[in-house]
Amino acid sequence: MRIPIQEVTPGIGKAEIVGFVHELRDLGGLSFLLIRDRTGIIQVTVPKKKVPEHVLSAVREVSRESVVRVSGTVKAIEKAPGGRELVPETFEIVSLAQSPLPLDVVEKVPAELDTRLDSRFLDVRRPRVAAVFHIRNACIQAVYEQLFSRGFIQITTPKVVAAATEGGTELFPIAYFEKEAFLNQSPQLYKQMMMGAGFERVFEIGPIFRAEEHNTTKHLNEATSIDVEVSYASHHDVMELLEEIVIAAYRKVADSCGQFLEQMEIRDLPVPASGFPRLPYSEAIEIAAKKIDEPIAYGDDIGTAAEKAIGEEIGSHYFIVDWPTAIKPYYAMPCEHDPSVCKAFDMMHPRMELSSGSERIHQHDLLVRQIQAKGLNPESFSFYLTPFRYGMPPHSGWGLGAERLIMTMLGLQNIREAVLFPRDRHRLVP
Ligand code: ATP
Ligand code: MG
């Protein structure tokens, strides 16, 4: 019976393992193989004079990254990984790998990201790369734990839709029988409708599609959004929730992913302290104006250079609050005392935006006016607007980009490293 490589200890006597051939060395009278499964690496030592002939012929034939099944005696040996080695009595090639490999799994030759992504299945065989996805998994698990323990209901909303969420040009049109359809850019309208349906607390972790034209290191055309909507909650309430969830994700990774962090050479993962500073948009603009070359003034979007300059100044996670209503989506609630400012926020890592959210407008007529003010036609939103006429709880929510959370947590240079099979302007395969 196969056991995980991590569990092979000298005291065990005999063991059978199955895994990839990580490395292969022939030293004349001795052959050394390193065998890898997802739990670790073990040395298989083949003293040529002492093992059966069928073992020798299999070892002669095998190539790197082939899948092999090996059984034999486990011995303690200081110099080998994990302080033990396996001396084979049987050695079966389960699946022979062709040579040469399209990508060096042992990483003696560093590969370009494009080459890595072309052979992603091999790239992810590297423990350091696999670690990213184990950590991503832990983050998503932490988010689930936080939300389920607070009574949230997980929902699934359509990705094929008839109209844009926010208007604009970021949509991918698709062929849908005889109708015009699009891939959804956000579950926003649907999660708000579920507030109208009385669910009170919903979330969805799912794909969002953005036809972003520019190839950047922080945009994907298919990203994963962690989307939350809460009834009877203010924007302050959901900012607190967001902060708690981000901290919980860091804590989970720090507590349970030591082995994976080590593989990525991250010594100590600092967990952000609670009480993220809240920076009014007007002050953020002032900071940026002082530090960047391009002109920036109240009412402008906060672009990449500004984002970076402000992040350097603050140096930790923070919120940008009190946004001009004019540059936030139509569904953001204007402030009572000054409707030119709205109850929207962005949550920032020093490097980039991680999340946008707001208190939402729950009054039908005000919402219609705001849709019109953005130059959009309320008729194309009638499915969304109808619930606002039959009793809509006040509500707030946000969307948090999963890949950006992982990317900033692990200091990845390119967002594509945080996705198994990224979709960008040029990449549709694999
Ligand atoms: P940015 O201005 O940085 O392009 P955005 O303001 O257009 O982002 P939102 O519509 O506010 O993005 O989406 C909420 C969150 O979803 C963002 O803060 C980000 O984390 C994530 N997100 C949005 N678009 C993308 C994308 N193209 N690739 C990766 N993540 C994205
Ligand atoms: Mg945003």
Side-chain angles (χ1 to χ4, degrees):
M1 255 268 289
R2 172 204 178 196
I3 61 167
I5 284 174
Q6 199 177 31
E7 289 171 24
V8 179
T9 54
I12 211 168
K14 297 209 171 195
E16 178 180 302
I17 56 158
V18 184
F20 296 104
V21 176
H22 189 67
E23 274 194 302
L24 194 53
R25 264 190 306 151
D26 186 357
L27 297 184
L30 268 181
S31 284
F32 291 108
L33 298 96
L34 294 181
I35 309 298
R36 182 189 74 240
D37 71 7
R38 72 169 200 168
T39 69
I41 288 179
I42 189 169
Q43 177 174 305
V44 170
T45 307
V46 187
K48 292 193 184 160
K49 295 213 170 110
K50 293 190 192 155
V51 297
E53 178 53 36
H54 82 270
V55 170
L56 281 184
S57 63
V59 168
R60 263 196 301 275
E61 191 196 339
V62 79
S63 55
R64 276 173 49 205
E65 296 305 315
S66 296
V67 177
V68 296
R69 180 188 302 272
V70 187
S71 70
T73 316
V74 184
K75 294 185 177 154
I77 168 171
E78 241 175 55
K79 281 184 188 156
R84 79 290 198 232
E85 65 176 4
L86 187 67
V87 179
E89 283 152 26
T90 72
F91 192 109
E92 177 199 346
I93 299 175
V94 177
S95 172
L96 188 67
Q98 285 181 24
S99 305
L101 296 161
L103 189 76
D104 187 2
V105 174
V106 192
E107 256 183 311
K108 282 177 185 140
V109 190
E112 295 291 327
L113 186 56
D114 260 330
T115 315
R116 293 175 45 198
L117 293 174
D118 286 341
S119 298
R120 194 55 148 162
F121 72 99
L122 275 179
D123 185 43
V124 176
R125 284 190 196 176
R126 302 194 283 183
R128 193 164 62 86
V129 179
V132 174
F133 298 97
H134 286 286
I135 291 169
R136 179 179 166 133
N137 178 60
C139 283
I140 299 293
Q141 197 187 334
V143 173
Y144 275 124
E145 284 164 2
Q146 290 295 314
L147 291 171
F148 283 135
S149 73
R150 288 171 164 84
F152 278 76
I153 300 172
Q154 180 176 212
I155 59 169
T156 304
T157 65
K159 304 308 156 204
V160 177
V161 296
T165 306
E166 295 174 21
T169 52
E170 288 185 353
L171 286 172
F172 286 111
I174 58 166
Y176 192 75
F177 305 110
E178 51 288 324
K179 288 202 175 73
E180 184 180 45
F182 303 94
L183 291 174
N184 207 3
Q185 63 190 147
S186 149
Q188 181 66 28
L189 307 188
Y190 292 94
K191 59 181 188 166
Q192 284 195 264
M193 287 199 289
M194 293 315 292
M195 299 297 100
F199 273 34
E200 292 189 20
R201 302 168 158 237
V202 301
F203 78 100
E204 175 166 17
I205 302 179
I208 56 170
F209 300 91
R210 307 268 170 116
E212 313 268 8
E213 292 217 23
H214 307 291
N215 251 325
T216 78
T217 53
K218 61 171 187 179
H219 289 98
L220 295 161
N221 293 117
E222 179 176 1
T224 309
S225 180
I226 301 166
D227 256 279
V228 159
E229 204 66 31
V230 191
S231 287
Y232 313 113
S234 70
H235 58 307
H236 296 296
D237 296 330
V238 293
M239 284 162 76
E240 242 167 70
L241 174 70
L242 175 55
E243 186 178 310
E244 284 168 17
I245 285 179
V246 167
I247 292 172
Y250 270 81
R251 186 160 292 132
K252 176 112 191 160
V253 172
D255 290 350
S256 71
C257 295
Q259 164 202 354
F260 302 120
L261 290 169
E262 212 170 282
Q263 270 151 355
M264 297 191 70
E265 288 168 23
I266 299 174
R267 293 282 163 260
D268 269 312
L269 181 74
V271 178
S274 62
F276 295 178
R278 291 164 192 213
L279 181 70
Y281 164 87
S282 56
E283 286 177 32
I285 291 290
E286 279 171 29
I287 295 173
K290 279 194 203 118
K291 298 185 83 169
I292 64 174
D293 294 335
E294 49 203 86
I296 185 166
Y298 189 95
D300 290 344
D301 270 324
I302 296 184
T304 302
E307 200 171 77
K308 194 163 159 276
I310 304 161
E312 272 167 17
E313 178 89 8
I314 308 288
S316 64
H317 287 83
Y318 65 104
F319 286 101
I320 302 178
V321 297
D322 303 337
W323 287 77
T325 308
I327 57 170
K328 278 292 176 186
Y330 58 81
Y331 48 76
M333 179 72 97
C335 292
E336 293 83 8
H337 62 275
D338 177 6
S340 78
V341 173
C342 67
K343 299 181 183 181
F345 57 86
D346 276 7
M347 200 271 285
M348 315 291 294
H349 177 276
R351 285 173 69 194
M352 71 190 74
E353 175 190 320
L354 298 186
S355 171
S356 285
S358 67
E359 189 168 318
R360 323 298 193 187
I361 295 173
H362 63 277
Q363 304 90 333
H364 176 270
D365 294 356
L366 176 56
L367 190 52
V368 170
R369 285 201 298 278
Q370 295 297 90
I371 289 174
Q372 286 164 336
K374 297 277 176 194
L376 299 168
N377 181 2
E379 271 167 36
S380 30
F381 295 91
S382 62
F383 79 96
Y384 163 66
L385 286 168
T386 303
F388 289 80
R389 294 196 284 154
Y390 297 97
M392 176 58 84
H395 58 280
S396 301
W398 42 257
L400 166 66
E403 289 81 13
R404 289 200 187 167
L405 176 66
I406 311 301
M407 174 188 185
T408 51
M409 177 185 285
L410 300 178
L412 304 176
Q413 287 313 305
N414 194 317
I415 195 166
R416 290 161 183 76
E417 295 183 67
V419 204
L420 283 171
F421 301 103
R423 288 290 169 263
D424 65 28
R425 186 76 192 245
H426 305 292
R427 186 170 286 280
L428 197 53
V429 177

